[in-house]
Amino acid sequence: MSYTGPEFDRPQPRRSPLRRPLTVALAALVPGALLGWGVYAAVGGSGDEGGGPDRAGGVSASRVPSSGAPAHSDDDAKKPTGASPSPSAGKPSASPSKSPSPSGAAGSGPLKGKVVVIDPGHNPNNFQHASEINRKVNIGTNWKECDTTGTATNAGWPEAKFTLDVAHRLRTLLERQGATVKLTQDGDRSYGPCVDERARIGNEARADAAVSIHADGSGTGNRGFHVILPGSVHAGSADTRAIVAPSADLGERIAGNFVRVTGSAPSNYVGGGTGLVTREDLGGLNLSTVPKVFIECGNMRDSKDAALLTSGAWRQKAAQGISEGIVSFLRG
Protein backbone atom coordinates (compact mmCIF):
# COMPACT_ATOMS: atom_id res chain seq x y z
CA MET A 1 0.00 0.00 0.00
CA SER A 2 1.21 3.47 -0.52
CA TYR A 3 2.02 5.82 2.28
CA THR A 4 -0.74 8.27 1.47
CA GLY A 5 -4.07 8.03 3.17
CA PRO A 6 -5.35 7.77 6.73
CA GLU A 7 -2.82 5.25 7.96
CA PHE A 8 0.13 7.26 6.74
CA ASP A 9 0.17 10.64 8.38
CA ARG A 10 3.68 12.00 8.67
CA PRO A 11 4.78 11.66 12.27
CA GLN A 12 8.34 12.74 13.05
CA PRO A 13 11.04 10.10 12.51
CA ARG A 14 12.27 8.37 15.61
CA ARG A 15 14.76 5.70 16.45
CA SER A 16 13.29 2.26 16.87
CA PRO A 17 13.39 0.81 20.37
CA LEU A 18 13.50 -2.58 18.67
CA ARG A 19 16.98 -2.22 17.24
CA ARG A 20 18.96 -5.23 18.45
CA PRO A 21 20.96 -8.15 17.01
CA LEU A 22 19.06 -10.62 14.88
CA THR A 23 17.94 -13.80 16.50
CA VAL A 24 20.05 -16.91 16.01
CA ALA A 25 17.35 -18.48 13.90
CA LEU A 26 17.29 -15.58 11.51
CA ALA A 27 21.06 -15.39 11.44
CA ALA A 28 21.06 -18.86 9.97
CA LEU A 29 19.32 -17.39 6.94
CA VAL A 30 21.96 -14.75 6.30
CA PRO A 31 24.10 -16.72 3.78
CA GLY A 32 21.10 -17.34 1.56
CA ALA A 33 19.87 -13.80 1.97
CA LEU A 34 23.29 -12.41 1.11
CA LEU A 35 23.30 -14.53 -2.00
CA GLY A 36 19.91 -13.10 -2.96
CA TRP A 37 21.21 -9.60 -2.38
CA GLY A 38 24.32 -10.31 -4.43
CA VAL A 39 22.30 -11.56 -7.37
CA TYR A 40 19.99 -8.56 -7.11
CA ALA A 41 22.90 -6.11 -7.06
CA ALA A 42 24.61 -7.89 -9.92
CA VAL A 43 21.67 -7.26 -12.25
CA GLY A 44 21.53 -3.61 -11.32
CA GLY A 45 18.59 -3.66 -8.93
CA SER A 46 18.45 -0.43 -6.99
CA GLY A 47 15.93 -0.82 -4.29
CA ASP A 48 13.13 -2.42 -2.49
CA GLU A 49 9.67 -1.48 -1.72
CA GLY A 50 8.01 -0.20 1.32
CA GLY A 51 7.49 3.50 1.55
CA GLY A 52 9.66 6.16 0.10
CA PRO A 53 10.47 9.49 1.64
CA ASP A 54 7.35 10.88 0.04
CA ARG A 55 5.08 8.61 2.04
CA ALA A 56 7.06 6.89 4.73
CA GLY A 57 7.10 9.58 7.36
CA GLY A 58 7.40 8.34 10.89
CA VAL A 59 9.15 5.08 10.19
CA SER A 60 12.28 3.99 11.98
CA ALA A 61 14.74 1.36 10.88
CA SER A 62 14.79 -1.82 12.92
CA ARG A 63 16.85 -4.96 13.09
CA VAL A 64 17.63 -6.28 9.71
CA PRO A 65 18.79 -9.57 8.38
CA SER A 66 22.25 -8.60 7.23
CA SER A 67 21.27 -9.93 3.85
CA GLY A 68 18.57 -7.37 3.57
CA ALA A 69 15.21 -7.67 5.26
CA PRO A 70 11.99 -5.84 4.53
CA ALA A 71 11.23 -2.52 5.97
CA HIS A 72 7.67 -2.00 6.88
CA SER A 73 4.11 -2.46 5.78
CA ASP A 74 1.08 -0.50 6.77
CA ASP A 75 -2.54 -0.90 7.65
CA ASP A 76 -4.91 -0.19 4.90
CA ALA A 77 -3.84 3.15 3.74
CA LYS A 78 -2.82 3.29 0.21
CA LYS A 79 -4.43 5.41 -2.44
CA PRO A 80 -3.51 5.32 -6.14
CA THR A 81 -1.25 8.17 -7.10
CA GLY A 82 -3.31 8.84 -10.19
CA ALA A 83 -1.02 7.60 -12.94
CA SER A 84 -3.04 6.67 -15.98
CA PRO A 85 -3.15 3.00 -16.90
CA SER A 86 -0.72 1.84 -19.55
CA PRO A 87 -1.73 -1.17 -21.62
CA SER A 88 1.87 -2.30 -22.04
CA ALA A 89 3.14 -2.55 -18.47
CA GLY A 90 2.16 -3.81 -15.09
CA LYS A 91 -0.46 -6.34 -16.18
CA PRO A 92 -0.55 -9.65 -14.32
CA SER A 93 0.80 -12.66 -16.17
CA ALA A 94 -1.72 -14.86 -14.44
CA SER A 95 -5.08 -14.15 -12.88
CA PRO A 96 -5.23 -14.23 -9.09
CA SER A 97 -5.46 -17.80 -7.88
CA LYS A 98 -8.37 -18.84 -5.72
CA SER A 99 -7.66 -21.52 -3.17
CA PRO A 100 -10.19 -24.34 -3.43
CA SER A 101 -10.05 -25.05 0.28
CA PRO A 102 -12.35 -23.03 2.56
CA SER A 103 -10.77 -20.46 4.84
CA GLY A 104 -10.07 -21.99 8.20
CA ALA A 105 -9.58 -25.54 6.92
CA ALA A 106 -6.72 -27.42 8.56
CA GLY A 107 -5.08 -30.79 8.24
CA SER A 108 -2.35 -32.73 9.96
CA GLY A 109 1.18 -31.44 10.01
CA PRO A 110 3.74 -29.61 12.14
CA LEU A 111 1.44 -26.59 12.52
CA LYS A 112 -1.62 -28.54 13.60
CA GLY A 113 -3.33 -26.58 16.36
CA LYS A 114 -1.81 -23.26 15.25
CA VAL A 115 -4.00 -20.41 13.99
CA VAL A 116 -2.78 -17.93 11.40
CA VAL A 117 -4.75 -14.88 10.27
CA ILE A 118 -3.94 -13.45 6.85
CA ASP A 119 -5.07 -9.90 6.16
CA PRO A 120 -5.19 -9.12 2.40
CA GLY A 121 -4.90 -5.34 2.28
CA HIS A 122 -7.74 -3.22 0.88
CA ASN A 123 -10.65 -4.45 -1.26
CA PRO A 124 -11.09 -4.22 -5.06
CA ASN A 125 -14.51 -2.59 -4.57
CA ASN A 126 -13.48 0.06 -2.04
CA PHE A 127 -13.54 2.76 -4.73
CA GLN A 128 -17.28 2.17 -5.14
CA HIS A 129 -17.91 2.85 -1.45
CA ALA A 130 -16.24 6.17 -0.77
CA SER A 131 -18.55 7.21 2.06
CA GLU A 132 -18.18 3.89 3.84
CA ILE A 133 -14.39 3.68 3.67
CA ASN A 134 -14.00 7.34 4.61
CA ARG A 135 -15.96 6.82 7.81
CA LYS A 136 -13.74 7.38 10.85
CA VAL A 137 -13.02 4.48 13.21
CA ASN A 138 -11.17 4.37 16.51
CA ILE A 139 -7.66 2.96 16.09
CA GLY A 140 -6.87 3.09 19.79
CA THR A 141 -4.87 6.30 19.90
CA ASN A 142 -7.01 8.43 17.58
CA TRP A 143 -9.55 8.20 14.75
CA LYS A 144 -8.80 7.41 11.12
CA GLU A 145 -10.65 6.41 7.97
CA CYS A 146 -12.10 2.92 7.82
CA ASP A 147 -10.00 1.87 4.82
CA THR A 148 -8.52 3.14 1.55
CA THR A 149 -8.57 2.03 -2.06
CA GLY A 150 -4.96 0.89 -2.15
CA THR A 151 -2.57 1.59 -5.00
CA ALA A 152 -2.20 0.02 -8.46
CA THR A 153 0.37 -0.58 -11.18
CA ASN A 154 0.68 2.05 -13.89
CA ALA A 155 -1.31 -0.34 -16.09
CA GLY A 156 -4.15 -0.25 -13.56
CA TRP A 157 -3.83 -3.64 -11.84
CA PRO A 158 -4.99 -2.98 -8.25
CA GLU A 159 -3.09 -3.76 -5.11
CA ALA A 160 -6.23 -5.35 -3.66
CA LYS A 161 -6.12 -8.08 -6.31
CA PHE A 162 -2.43 -8.65 -5.66
CA THR A 163 -2.93 -9.01 -1.92
CA LEU A 164 -5.82 -11.45 -2.27
CA ASP A 165 -3.91 -13.59 -4.76
CA VAL A 166 -0.89 -13.85 -2.45
CA ALA A 167 -3.21 -14.52 0.51
CA HIS A 168 -4.79 -17.48 -1.30
CA ARG A 169 -1.39 -18.92 -2.16
CA LEU A 170 -0.17 -18.40 1.40
CA ARG A 171 -3.28 -20.01 2.86
CA THR A 172 -2.74 -23.13 0.76
CA LEU A 173 0.88 -23.44 1.88
CA LEU A 174 0.07 -23.00 5.57
CA GLU A 175 -2.87 -25.41 5.49
CA ARG A 176 -0.55 -28.04 4.02
CA GLN A 177 1.50 -27.60 7.20
CA GLY A 178 -1.61 -28.26 9.28
CA ALA A 179 -2.39 -24.69 10.34
CA THR A 180 -5.88 -23.30 10.69
CA VAL A 181 -5.97 -20.23 8.46
CA LYS A 182 -8.46 -17.37 8.54
CA LEU A 183 -8.65 -14.47 6.10
CA THR A 184 -9.96 -11.07 7.12
CA GLN A 185 -11.67 -10.90 3.73
CA ASP A 186 -11.83 -13.27 0.80
CA GLY A 187 -13.38 -11.20 -1.96
CA ASP A 188 -16.70 -11.81 -0.22
CA ARG A 189 -17.33 -8.25 1.01
CA SER A 190 -18.48 -5.18 -0.88
CA TYR A 191 -15.82 -3.07 0.86
CA GLY A 192 -13.34 -3.17 3.72
CA PRO A 193 -13.25 -4.47 6.36
CA CYS A 194 -12.26 -1.40 8.32
CA VAL A 195 -8.84 -1.33 9.95
CA ASP A 196 -10.24 -1.85 13.44
CA GLU A 197 -12.18 -4.93 12.34
CA ARG A 198 -9.14 -6.36 10.61
CA ALA A 199 -7.27 -6.27 13.91
CA ARG A 200 -10.27 -7.59 15.81
CA ILE A 201 -10.55 -10.64 13.53
CA GLY A 202 -7.03 -11.69 14.47
CA ASN A 203 -7.62 -11.00 18.14
CA GLU A 204 -10.88 -12.96 18.31
CA ALA A 205 -9.27 -15.88 16.47
CA ARG A 206 -6.51 -15.83 19.11
CA ALA A 207 -4.08 -16.08 16.24
CA ASP A 208 -0.62 -17.40 16.90
CA ALA A 209 0.53 -15.10 14.08
CA ALA A 210 -1.13 -12.48 11.86
CA VAL A 211 0.26 -11.00 8.66
CA SER A 212 -1.13 -8.12 6.63
CA ILE A 213 -0.17 -8.28 2.96
CA HIS A 214 0.38 -5.15 0.87
CA ALA A 215 2.30 -3.67 -2.04
CA ASP A 216 3.52 -0.09 -2.05
CA GLY A 217 2.77 2.83 -4.36
CA SER A 218 5.96 4.86 -4.14
CA GLY A 219 7.87 6.65 -6.89
CA THR A 220 9.75 5.17 -9.83
CA GLY A 221 13.16 3.86 -8.80
CA ASN A 222 12.01 3.03 -5.30
CA ARG A 223 12.25 -0.74 -5.11
CA GLY A 224 12.24 -3.68 -2.76
CA PHE A 225 10.16 -5.08 0.08
CA HIS A 226 9.94 -4.24 3.74
CA VAL A 227 8.27 -5.52 6.86
CA ILE A 228 6.56 -3.18 9.33
CA LEU A 229 6.80 -4.03 13.01
CA PRO A 230 4.56 -2.62 15.75
CA GLY A 231 6.16 -0.10 18.08
CA SER A 232 5.45 0.02 21.79
CA VAL A 233 2.16 1.88 22.15
CA HIS A 234 0.26 2.33 25.39
CA ALA A 235 -2.35 5.03 24.93
CA GLY A 236 -6.12 5.13 24.76
CA SER A 237 -7.39 1.63 24.03
CA ALA A 238 -4.14 0.61 22.32
CA ASP A 239 -1.56 -1.46 24.16
CA THR A 240 0.99 -3.27 22.04
CA ARG A 241 3.59 -3.84 24.75
CA ALA A 242 2.94 -7.58 24.99
CA ILE A 243 3.25 -8.18 21.24
CA VAL A 244 6.27 -6.01 20.39
CA ALA A 245 8.92 -8.70 20.97
CA PRO A 246 7.10 -11.65 19.35
CA SER A 247 6.03 -9.47 16.42
CA ALA A 248 9.65 -8.42 15.89
CA ASP A 249 10.69 -12.08 15.87
CA LEU A 250 7.93 -12.89 13.37
CA GLY A 251 8.91 -9.97 11.14
CA GLU A 252 12.60 -10.82 11.15
CA ARG A 253 11.91 -14.42 10.19
CA ILE A 254 9.58 -13.40 7.38
CA ALA A 255 12.13 -10.85 6.13
CA GLY A 256 14.99 -13.33 6.04
CA ASN A 257 12.97 -16.00 4.29
CA PHE A 258 11.48 -13.52 1.82
CA VAL A 259 14.97 -12.45 0.74
CA ARG A 260 16.13 -16.03 0.44
CA VAL A 261 13.14 -17.36 -1.51
CA THR A 262 12.34 -14.43 -3.80
CA GLY A 263 15.84 -13.00 -4.26
CA SER A 264 14.38 -9.52 -3.70
CA ALA A 265 16.41 -6.94 -1.82
CA PRO A 266 15.20 -4.86 1.12
CA SER A 267 13.72 -1.46 0.41
CA ASN A 268 16.07 1.18 -0.94
CA TYR A 269 13.89 4.06 0.22
CA VAL A 270 12.79 3.24 3.79
CA GLY A 271 14.39 1.32 6.62
CA GLY A 272 17.94 2.38 5.95
CA GLY A 273 18.58 -0.78 3.94
CA THR A 274 17.44 -3.01 6.78
CA GLY A 275 14.12 -4.06 5.35
CA LEU A 276 12.56 -3.68 8.80
CA VAL A 277 10.72 -0.60 10.03
CA THR A 278 8.90 0.08 13.30
CA ARG A 279 5.74 2.17 13.37
CA GLU A 280 3.36 3.35 16.06
CA ASP A 281 0.71 5.01 13.88
CA LEU A 282 -1.01 2.06 12.22
CA GLY A 283 -4.38 0.95 13.56
CA GLY A 284 -3.97 -2.59 12.27
CA LEU A 285 -0.94 -2.99 14.52
CA ASN A 286 -1.91 -0.75 17.43
CA LEU A 287 -5.19 -2.61 18.00
CA SER A 288 -3.66 -6.07 17.69
CA THR A 289 -3.29 -8.25 20.78
CA VAL A 290 -1.58 -11.05 18.84
CA PRO A 291 1.84 -11.08 17.10
CA LYS A 292 1.33 -9.18 13.86
CA VAL A 293 3.34 -7.55 11.09
CA PHE A 294 2.74 -5.95 7.70
CA ILE A 295 4.72 -6.78 4.60
CA GLU A 296 5.01 -4.49 1.59
CA CYS A 297 6.04 -6.95 -1.09
CA GLY A 298 7.24 -4.42 -3.66
CA ASN A 299 6.49 -1.07 -5.27
CA MET A 300 3.68 -1.30 -7.82
CA ARG A 301 4.62 2.07 -9.33
CA ASP A 302 8.11 1.01 -10.32
CA SER A 303 8.18 -0.89 -13.63
CA LYS A 304 10.79 -3.42 -12.48
CA ASP A 305 8.99 -4.21 -9.25
CA ALA A 306 5.65 -4.24 -11.08
CA ALA A 307 7.02 -6.89 -13.44
CA LEU A 308 7.60 -9.10 -10.40
CA LEU A 309 4.35 -8.33 -8.63
CA THR A 310 2.31 -9.11 -11.75
CA SER A 311 4.07 -12.45 -12.28
CA GLY A 312 2.18 -15.44 -10.97
CA ALA A 313 5.44 -17.36 -10.55
CA TRP A 314 6.94 -14.56 -8.44
CA ARG A 315 3.79 -14.23 -6.33
CA GLN A 316 4.12 -17.91 -5.53
CA LYS A 317 7.68 -17.28 -4.35
CA ALA A 318 6.45 -14.35 -2.27
CA ALA A 319 3.84 -16.55 -0.62
CA GLN A 320 6.47 -19.25 -0.05
CA GLY A 321 8.87 -16.79 1.58
CA ILE A 322 6.18 -15.43 3.89
CA SER A 323 4.99 -18.96 4.69
CA GLU A 324 8.46 -20.18 5.61
CA GLY A 325 8.93 -17.18 7.88
CA ILE A 326 5.65 -17.91 9.66
CA VAL A 327 6.46 -21.61 9.98
CA SER A 328 9.87 -20.79 11.44
CA PHE A 329 8.25 -18.43 13.95
CA LEU A 330 5.54 -20.88 15.00
CA ARG A 331 7.92 -23.80 15.38
CA GLY A 332 10.39 -21.70 17.36
Side-chain angles (χ1 to χ4, degrees):
M1 83 179 56
S2 85
Y3 287 89
T4 57
E7 286 294 308
F8 293 92
D9 296 336
R10 295 174 179 266
Q12 293 302 308
R14 60 183 173 282
R15 293 184 65 82
S16 168
L18 294 176
R19 193 179 293 272
R20 59 175 172 75
L22 289 178
T23 60
V24 174
L26 185 59
L29 299 174
V30 167
L34 285 173
L35 178 59
W37 172 268
V39 172
Y40 184 84
V43 298
S46 64
D48 319 88
E49 83 71 23
D54 56 335
R55 71 181 114 244
V59 300
S60 56
S62 281
R63 303 151 294 202
V64 174
S66 41
S67 56
H72 89 258
S73 344
D74 18 335
D75 257 352
D76 26 28
K78 199 169 326 193
K79 295 181 180 178
T81 57
S84 36
S86 163
S88 62
K91 290 186 176 180
S93 60
S95 57
S97 62
K98 283 258 187 181
S99 170
S101 59
S103 179
S108 59
L111 297 187
K112 185 173 179 59
K114 299 294 186 180
V115 177
V116 178
V117 169
I118 303 172
D119 178 28
H122 312 288
N123 185 309
N125 297 315
N126 274 356
F127 75 97
Q128 296 177 326
H129 299 271
S131 61
E132 290 90 345
I133 67 170
N134 286 326
R135 175 176 61 86
K136 296 293 182 68
V137 298
N138 190 340
I139 65 164
T141 55
N142 59 300
W143 294 72
K144 287 189 176 181
E145 283 80 357
C146 158
D147 201 0
T148 64
T149 59
T151 189
T153 64
N154 292 330
W157 193 52
E159 176 191 3
K161 289 189 175 182
F162 167 81
T163 64
L164 195 56
D165 178 272
V166 174
H168 288 152
R169 297 170 188 269
L170 178 57
R171 178 175 65 189
T172 298
L173 293 169
L174 291 171
E175 287 180 347
R176 288 174 182 168
Q177 296 284 325
T180 296
V181 181
K182 298 179 183 295
L183 270 61
T184 59
Q185 59 96 4
D186 195 9
D188 53 354
R189 302 178 59 131
S190 56
Y191 69 91
C194 296
V195 295
D196 57 335
E197 184 181 356
R198 290 173 186 269
R200 188 163 59 249
I201 290 170
N203 297 344
E204 292 178 350
R206 297 184 179 180
D208 296 287
V211 177
S212 188
I213 300 171
H214 290 273
D216 203 9
S218 187
T220 298
N222 290 341
R223 297 195 60 195
F225 75 98
H226 59 274
V227 173
I228 303 174
L229 314 174
S232 182
V233 176
H234 185 212
S237 58
D239 188 352
T240 63
R241 292 174 296 177
I243 68 165
V244 167
S247 295
D249 186 19
L250 171 63
E252 290 168 358
R253 291 173 188 261
I254 289 176
N257 280 280
F258 199 87
V259 170
R260 180 177 58 81
V261 176
T262 68
S264 292
S267 174
N268 67 348
Y269 57 105
V270 290
T274 69
L276 296 173
V277 172
T278 298
R279 296 193 62 159
E280 298 176 1
D281 62 329
L282 303 179
L285 296 179
N286 289 356
L287 295 175
S288 183
T289 58
V290 301
K292 184 175 182 178
V293 300
F294 280 60
I295 180 167
E296 296 278 359
C297 297
N299 176 21
M300 300 194 89
R301 293 292 180 166
D302 177 84
S303 61
K304 292 180 180 179
D305 267 12
L308 299 176
L309 298 167
T310 54
S311 163
W314 188 89
R315 293 196 300 276
Q316 186 64 32
K317 290 181 180 180
Q320 184 70 41
I322 298 169
S323 172
E324 292 188 15
I326 294 172
V327 172
S328 173
F329 171 73
L330 294 180
R331 299 191 71 180

